[in-house]
Amino acid sequence: MTDRISKYQRFKMMNPIIQFFMFLYLSIKIMVVVAGGHGGTR
């Protein structure tokens, strides 16, 4: 039986430090898009 999730993907998902940096990266990316004029609130 094959694993659906490889050991490396499982390691990435279970590592809180990597998850924290991914959260920061995505937050900054979203803020750059919103600050760049694509907010759509007007």
Side-chain angles (χ1 to χ4, degrees):
M1 184 175 166
T2 61
D3 290 333
R4 290 187 178 174
I5 300 174
S6 69
K7 289 183 186 278
Y8 180 67
Q9 286 176 330
R10 186 179 182 87
F11 170 74
K12 280 199 308 187
M13 284 196 302
M14 299 297 284
N15 193 335
I17 296 172
I18 291 175
Q19 293 298 316
F20 176 70
F21 281 112
M22 284 297 291
F23 170 74
L24 282 181
Y25 171 71
L26 291 175
S27 298
I28 291 171
K29 195 171 173 183
I30 289 170
M31 283 175 29
V32 166
V33 169
V34 170
H38 294 278
T41 55
R42 282 193 252 175

